Amino acid sequence: MAGIEQIRMGTSASLIKSVYGNDNSHAYIMRNETGEGILASHEIMEGIYVLYGDFHMESMYSEMEHSADLLCLDYCYEGRVEWRAPDGSCFYQQAYDLYVDDRRHTCSSFFLPLRRYHSITVAFFRPDAQASLEKHFEGFPVE
């Protein structure tokens, strides 16, 4: 089974704590000396998640790892985040940017120069998402 359980959040945002959770929803609070962030995850159908990020901090270090075949659509609606990929390339996302990523080049250090980053992510864990879409849109080809 693919899904959010295949993402290991780690604990090195100084503190990462699961706030609530059930079979379809989880929330995490991340704290360090620069501030606090909240990440809420909701499974809307098998293999498809919506994540809301509300971060008010200067930087964070994440141990997030995954083993899933994953596609993410990340939309920033306020603030800015910057990160450096393992190959040395730099990325940033600011308000109204849409970023499409498969998380193959996950990094560990993120910087928030405006001390805030508010985002919405739609994550597709393939092939579970493909099966869900085919089931829910039967008769309408989804590829």
Side-chain angles (χ1 to χ4, degrees):
M1 173 192 267
I4 205 76
E5 65 276 1
Q6 286 186 291
I7 295 181
R8 188 177 72 80
M9 296 297 287
T11 58
S12 61
S14 286
L15 170 70
I16 183 166
K17 176 182 177 185
S18 181
V19 179
Y20 68 88
N22 60 36
D23 289 345
N24 298 320
S25 298
H26 303 276
Y28 304 92
I29 294 178
M30 296 166 222
R31 289 188 186 106
N32 66 22
E33 63 282 351
T34 72
E36 179 177 281
I38 298 172
L39 181 66
S41 167
H42 307 280
E43 185 176 29
I44 56 173
M45 61 177 73
E46 188 174 348
I48 303 172
Y49 293 77
V50 175
L51 298 99
Y52 300 94
D54 184 1
F55 296 91
H56 295 268
M57 50 199 337
E58 286 180 13
S59 64
M60 74 173 159
Y61 179 82
S62 170
E63 295 176 335
M64 186 175 76
E65 297 176 1
H66 70 84
S67 60
D69 183 5
L70 179 65
L71 177 68
C72 292
L73 307 173
D74 301 300
Y75 178 74
C76 171
Y77 60 90
E78 185 179 3
R80 181 180 172 115
V81 64
E82 301 173 355
W83 66 99
R84 183 179 302 272
D87 68 2
S89 55
C90 297
F91 298 91
Y92 72 90
Q93 186 180 28
Q94 62 188 10
Y96 312 114
D97 283 350
L98 179 65
Y99 183 73
V100 180
D101 185 38
D102 61 10
R103 300 297 198 261
R104 278 188 275 171
H105 305 290
T106 300
C107 69
S108 56
S109 295
F110 297 87
F111 303 96
L112 293 76
L114 302 177
R115 292 190 53 96
R116 71 180 179 277
Y117 175 63
H118 299 164
S119 65
I120 298 173
T121 297
V122 179
F124 298 90
F125 289 84
R126 304 175 292 202
D128 287 357
Q130 181 72 30
S132 289
L133 291 170
E134 288 172 357
K135 177 182 172 186
H136 290 284
F137 294 101
E138 189 175 341
F140 184 81
V142 178
E143 293 187 32

